[in-house]
Amino acid sequence: MSNLKNKKVAILAADGYEQSELESPMKALKDAGAQIEIVSLKSGEIKAMKDHQWSNSVNVDKIVSESDCADYDALLLPGGVINPDALRGNEDAVNFVKGFFKANKPVAAICHAPQTLINAEVVSGKKMTSYKSISADLKNAGANWVDEEVVTDGNLTTSRSPEDLPAFNQRMIEEFSK
């Protein structure tokens, strides 16, 4: 499967990302031929959470304050509880996300990751899903929240949790290959 050959995808994450929600989509993207860059708030490494414990780390390729959405074809936002909270509080990260929406580039977000999208002010009027505990936040921000495995509305694909990763990965590859 090489339908993402010549596509460059940013994975925006910070310490506390959900391990499976970064590693599984990253593997799917690489298997489809995409070039991946981990973009974060700091250089070095960022650490995952798995089963509410600190876990693996990944190397950061670029810091978000020095990144431009124009350099990428698509954006992946993994979830976790700590990760999106750190991202949504960072002006550079929020502006980076906004850039993908202004350029109508595909964005995929899973679990708690849509919290960053709320701060980027890009969810109003969008049909989307997420981890159930943030459904009220999304509704209050104007999203049409639904409890479905994976939802695509325009350039945005969302999913609920690690259990949905197979469907999320498949849809993300389809959307990123357009």
Side-chain angles (χ1 to χ4, degrees):
M1 191 153 114
S2 64
N3 53 351
L4 293 182
K5 195 168 187 256
N6 302 320
K7 297 272 187 174
K8 189 173 177 184
V9 179
I11 300 177
L12 180 60
D15 283 320
Y17 64 88
E18 176 62 39
Q19 181 177 324
S20 63
E21 294 172 359
L22 185 144
E23 291 179 359
S24 174
M26 182 170 69
K27 181 183 182 322
L29 288 164
K30 285 181 176 178
D31 289 350
Q35 179 187 344
I36 303 301
E37 282 192 355
I38 305 290
V39 179
S40 192
L41 306 177
K42 63 176 186 164
S43 59
E45 291 183 338
I46 52 173
K47 206 159 185 54
M49 294 292 284
K50 182 179 180 183
D51 302 322
H52 307 288
Q53 301 291 322
W54 291 105
S55 184
N56 296 356
S57 294
V58 293
N59 290 320
V60 173
D61 297 303
K62 280 187 114 173
I63 58 172
V64 72
S65 62
E66 298 172 359
S67 299
D68 186 338
C69 76
D71 296 335
Y72 302 95
D73 298 296
L75 173 65
L76 167 64
L77 296 167
V81 178
I82 299 168
N83 165 54
D85 200 53
L87 294 174
R88 71 182 178 163
N90 181 282
E91 189 177 345
D92 291 321
V94 170
N95 287 332
F96 185 68
V97 170
K98 281 182 181 179
F100 284 87
F101 284 86
K102 285 180 186 159
N104 201 34
K105 293 181 179 185
V107 175
I110 187 166
C111 201
H112 286 78
Q115 289 179 312
T116 305
L117 300 176
I118 292 170
N119 284 42
E121 300 176 340
V122 295
V123 302
S124 186
K126 291 274 191 188
K127 180 181 178 186
M128 56 192 301
T129 194
S130 68
Y131 198 72
K132 198 165 192 142
S133 68
I134 66 163
S135 63
D137 301 334
L138 286 163
K139 290 174 189 172
N140 289 338
N144 173 19
W145 189 87
V146 294
D147 187 8
E148 294 176 15
E149 186 176 55
V150 63
V151 175
T152 299
D153 185 346
N155 69 320
L156 178 62
T157 297
T158 52
S159 207
R160 300 174 299 193
S161 70
E163 289 74 34
D164 299 330
L165 278 166
F168 177 71
N169 290 345
Q170 181 179 348
R171 179 78 58 83
M172 173 187 63
I173 299 296
E174 289 169 12
E175 294 300 317
F176 286 10
S177 68
K178 290 181 178 177

